[in-house]
């Protein structure tokens, strides 16, 4: 009798039908097993299915740790817990573009697309950093938060667009890849392309709005000069 994990086991092998992802197949298997198997029986995985389950759980933790790490680094850089929160608002906005790009390209949320999402977190936060950092500097020159963020958004528009253009053009060869291993590269490429394009558009409107509402006041320090008394 065959054994797996020191228990008697039967092996079920199957191939994916075109148009279905491994996650969908495993979810269908688990749903069917709960309905069909008698009490005392369980389902375990081997081969690619096992690797998929292990990778999915570890990448979810990696994604959460990436968000926490970036937030703490920004909090240390800006010496504030409020400014990094404004910057991190760009992350869910970019996720919308990434998921939309996967939907339109026929991709799925798999291990490779999740790696692209982790990469996207670091890329999209650069836009918010450019606006918030420059707006804080302008506030120290006696400008109000609203005036500072309007001027910062105007002056930093070209660097933001140039950064997005360079990253998107660099990711297009991945999205249009062909040949061996192209499926994994396409998933990462479309996540970056879609996330950056839509995330940048949202960033230019949402970050200045939230900054004008939540940003703390920055004032420049004036050092008094000694003046000699006459006479």
């Amino acid at each position: 009798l065959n054994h797996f994990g020191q228990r008697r086991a039967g092996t079920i092998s199957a191939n994916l039908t075109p148009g279905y992802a491994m996650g969908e197949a495993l979810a269908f298997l688990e749903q069917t097993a709960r309905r069909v198997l008698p009490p005392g029986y369980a389902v375990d995985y081997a081969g690619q299915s096992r690797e998929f389950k292990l990778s999915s759980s570890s990448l979810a933790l990696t994604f959460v740790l990436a968000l926490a790490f970036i937030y703490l680094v920004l909090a240390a850089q800006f010496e504030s817990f409020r400014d990094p929160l404004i910057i991190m608002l760009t992350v869910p906005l970019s996720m919308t573009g990434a998921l939309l790009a996967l939907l339109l390209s026929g991709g799925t949320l798999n291990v490779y697309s999740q790696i692209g999402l982790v990469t996207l977190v670091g890329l999209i936060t650069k836009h918010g950093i450019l606006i918030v950092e420059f707006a804080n500097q302008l506030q120290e020159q006696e400008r109000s938060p609203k005036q500072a963020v309007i001027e910062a958004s105007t002056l930093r528009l070209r660097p933001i667009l140039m950064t997005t253009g360079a990253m998107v053009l660099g990711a297009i060869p991945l999205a249009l890849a062909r040949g061996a291993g192209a499926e994994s590269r396409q998933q990462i490429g479309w996540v970056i392309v879609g996330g950056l394009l839509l995330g940048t558009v949202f960033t230019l409107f949402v970050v200045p709005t939230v900054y004008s509402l939540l940003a703390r006041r920055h004032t420049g320090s004036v050092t008094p000069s000694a003046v000699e008394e006459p006479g």
Side-chain angles (χ1 to χ4, degrees):
L1 295 175
N2 294 326
H3 284 72
F4 186 85
Q6 299 181 352
R7 300 177 64 182
R8 287 188 298 175
T11 302
I12 301 176
S13 300
N15 294 322
L16 290 176
T17 302
Y20 289 91
M22 182 175 293
E24 295 175 318
L26 295 181
F28 175 77
L29 172 64
E30 294 171 353
Q31 180 182 2
T32 305
R34 286 193 297 266
R35 187 179 68 253
V36 174
L37 293 180
Y41 285 77
V43 176
D44 205 343
Y45 302 97
Q48 292 183 353
S49 301
R50 189 177 188 86
E51 293 297 327
F52 176 82
K53 283 289 186 180
L54 294 176
S55 300
S56 298
S57 59
S58 61
L59 278 173
L61 178 61
T62 302
F63 185 76
V64 174
L65 291 177
L67 291 176
F69 181 75
I70 292 176
Y71 180 82
L72 293 177
V73 170
L74 292 176
Q77 177 183 350
F78 286 94
E79 298 181 352
S80 168
F81 290 105
R82 192 181 302 177
D83 290 345
L85 182 61
I86 299 173
I87 296 172
M88 297 293 287
L89 286 175
T90 58
V91 174
L93 303 177
S94 64
M95 296 298 170
T96 304
L99 297 178
L100 182 61
L102 286 178
L103 178 63
L104 296 178
S105 63
T108 59
L109 193 60
N110 51 37
V111 175
Y112 302 107
S113 56
Q114 290 176 5
I115 294 174
L117 290 175
V118 174
T119 306
L120 183 62
V121 173
L123 296 177
I124 197 63
T125 51
K126 296 178 65 176
H127 300 338
I129 293 174
L130 286 174
I131 295 176
V132 172
E133 173 67 20
F134 198 64
N136 290 344
Q137 296 177 6
L138 292 176
Q139 278 201 61
E140 295 176 356
Q141 301 176 12
E142 305 303 327
R143 289 177 175 82
S144 66
K146 184 177 180 180
Q147 293 174 336
V149 75
I150 291 175
E151 186 173 350
S153 301
T154 303
L155 295 177
R156 291 302 174 187
L157 176 61
R158 182 163 56 180
I160 289 175
L161 295 179
M162 291 177 64
T163 302
T164 299
M167 293 177 180
V168 168
L169 290 176
I172 284 180
L174 293 176
L176 302 179
R178 294 291 183 270
E183 182 179 356
S184 60
R185 296 195 296 271
Q186 287 174 357
Q187 302 292 310
I188 298 175
W190 282 119
V191 166
I192 294 176
V193 170
L196 282 176
L197 288 177
L198 192 59
T200 299
V201 175
F202 284 150
T203 297
L204 296 175
F205 293 96
V206 174
V207 170
T209 302
V210 177
Y211 184 91
S212 62
L213 296 175
L214 300 181
R216 62 191 179 95
R217 181 70 180 177
H218 295 264
T219 57
S221 58
V222 180
T223 304
S225 58
V227 180
E228 184 179 358
E229 292 291 337

